[in-house]
Amino acid sequence: MQHCIKAQQSQAYAQKVKLSNLKMMAQTVAYVQEHGFQSKADLDAALSDASAQSTDARNTLKSTENTLKNVNEQIHYTGQYLANKSIYSDYRKSRNKEKFYDDHRAELTLYESALRILKEKSQGNKLPTLKMLREEKNRLTELQTMQREDFNARREHERELRTVCSNVDIILGTSQAQNRQREHTQEKS
């Protein structure tokens, strides 16, 4: 209220802001009691833990998304490989390879590039079948959905704790400089 010019000019608005602030304080105190926080340090520790869990969940989700992207690429190149495999087989059997290659240059180039990329991705192992890749994609998609829900829940919990910590700081009269310093420290970690 001290920083709001409108509240300083209007008694009714100032009263409304005070009432809103009191409700916020009451909700914060109720939250702190309901969750059994005994001190500001307990609340800060819970926020730090929630932040770490949120970061871990985000990293796990990103890892799954990268794996899914890789599997999608393999599906793409496997399809490209299979679509042009018969043309490559005909090329190998043809008597006039130069003319056949000139006539089917695009298809043969797609086949060769797909085969090269698939071999790189398989790292010398047997190439996975399209069926195996699709099953892996389905598994990863389900895992990604569960991980996204987990991450969203953890992030929401972290936001809730961050709001409560901010409200407790306001209630306890902690200075704005200390708030900015604490937030700056948390952003670095």
Side-chain angles (χ1 to χ4, degrees):
M1 190 169 107
Q2 298 160 354
H3 304 291
C4 184
I5 296 171
K6 189 175 181 180
Q8 293 173 359
Q9 293 174 348
S10 168
Q11 277 294 33
Y13 189 78
Q15 190 67 23
K16 189 172 183 179
V17 169
K18 286 179 185 179
L19 186 60
S20 175
N21 287 345
L22 285 172
K23 284 181 183 178
M24 180 265 311
M25 286 183 202
Q27 289 172 340
T28 301
V29 170
Y31 183 92
V32 167
Q33 290 174 341
E34 182 179 310
H35 291 85
F37 296 114
Q38 299 299 318
S39 67
K40 177 77 169 96
D42 290 347
L43 189 59
D44 288 340
L47 175 59
S48 178
D49 185 46
S51 181
Q53 288 179 4
S54 178
T55 300
D56 289 344
R58 182 179 58 243
N59 291 340
T60 302
L61 177 61
K62 286 192 181 288
S63 174
T64 300
E65 287 172 346
N66 288 336
T67 304
L68 184 60
K69 180 181 174 187
N70 186 29
V71 168
N72 282 331
E73 284 179 14
Q74 284 183 303
I75 289 172
H76 169 76
Y77 287 115
T78 299
Q80 188 172 302
Y81 166 80
L82 293 174
N84 296 303
K85 188 175 182 179
S86 63
I87 294 173
Y88 183 78
S89 179
D90 292 344
Y91 166 71
R92 303 267 302 169
K93 293 176 188 174
S94 74
R95 295 182 193 263
N96 188 353
K97 293 193 186 306
E98 284 184 28
K99 180 174 178 0
F100 191 91
Y101 191 85
D102 286 341
D103 292 343
H104 300 284
R105 180 181 310 270
E107 295 93 343
L108 293 171
T109 302
L110 287 173
Y111 172 84
E112 291 166 350
S113 66
L115 183 61
R116 178 181 44 78
I117 290 169
L118 289 171
K119 283 184 177 181
E120 287 174 8
K121 289 189 178 289
S122 69
Q123 300 172 347
N125 297 327
K126 183 179 174 184
L127 296 179
T129 65
L130 199 54
K131 180 181 178 184
M132 289 169 45
L133 290 170
R134 286 187 176 141
E135 287 173 357
E136 180 68 5
K137 178 182 177 177
N138 290 337
R139 185 188 72 77
L140 287 170
T141 302
E142 289 175 13
L143 180 63
Q144 178 189 31
T145 300
M146 290 187 315
Q147 288 175 343
R148 183 170 284 126
E149 289 170 1
D150 180 56
F151 168 65
N152 287 338
R154 291 181 188 278
R155 184 177 58 185
E156 186 59 35
H157 179 66
E158 177 187 2
R159 286 180 182 161
E160 186 176 271
L161 285 173
R162 196 169 301 284
T163 300
V164 169
C165 281
S166 175
N167 291 346
V168 167
D169 287 343
I170 291 169
I171 291 168
L172 296 177
T174 307
S175 73
Q176 292 293 336
Q178 288 175 336
N179 286 343
R180 277 189 239 116
Q181 179 63 32
R182 181 177 54 89
E183 288 174 1
H184 184 70
T185 303
Q186 288 175 350
E187 289 173 2
K188 286 184 177 180
S189 49

